[in-house]
């Protein structure tokens, strides 16, 4: 038996993506990328904790873009915010 997991669809071709990127050493930063990918908004941060950067990204999406943007969270921010939550693994996977 198998399961098909679809990639999520973009919310809109007219709205961009709010990104959380960085690491614990230099800090985490939040910025908006246009839908075309040709331009970036100003950077917010750096934040010391991934959790704070993630919260700022969702607040930016809500307050400035009406919740219409996708939000991308880098693995370093996710791991910093939730260190005990990782990707699911099953016996025999590598």
């Amino acid at each position: 038996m198998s399961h098909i997991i679809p990639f999520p669809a973009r919310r809109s071709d007219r709205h961009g993506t709010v990104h959380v990127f960085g690491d614990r050493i230099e800090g985490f930063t939040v910025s908006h990328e246009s839908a075309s990918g040709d331009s970036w908004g100003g950077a917010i941060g750096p934040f010391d904790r991934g959790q704070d950067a993630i919260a700022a990204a969702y607040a930016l999406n809500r307050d400035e873009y009406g919740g219409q943007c996708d939000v991308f969270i880098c693995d370093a921010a996710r791991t910093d915010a939730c260190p005990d939550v990782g990707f699911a693994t099953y016996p025999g996977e590598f």
Side-chain angles (χ1 to χ4, degrees):
M1 178 176 213
S2 64
H3 297 279
I4 297 173
I5 301 173
F7 287 111
R10 285 191 56 89
R11 292 183 185 184
S12 170
D13 291 336
R14 295 177 299 150
H15 298 88
T17 303
V18 176
H19 291 266
V20 177
F21 54 93
D23 57 39
R24 293 184 73 191
I25 296 169
E26 294 183 13
F28 299 98
T29 305
V30 175
S31 189
H32 176 262
E33 178 187 16
S34 67
S36 67
D38 290 337
S39 64
W40 287 78
I44 303 169
F47 296 92
D48 293 332
R49 299 181 328 149
Q51 180 177 358
D52 295 334
I54 293 167
Y58 279 101
L60 177 67
N61 187 30
R62 179 193 66 216
D63 298 342
E64 295 295 323
Y65 302 105
Q68 296 297 311
C69 295
D70 291 327
V71 178
F72 171 80
I73 302 168
C74 70
D75 288 340
R78 181 198 50 82
T79 300
D80 186 64
C82 304
D84 295 331
V85 178
F87 295 109
T89 57
Y90 299 99
E93 284 191 345
F94 56 91

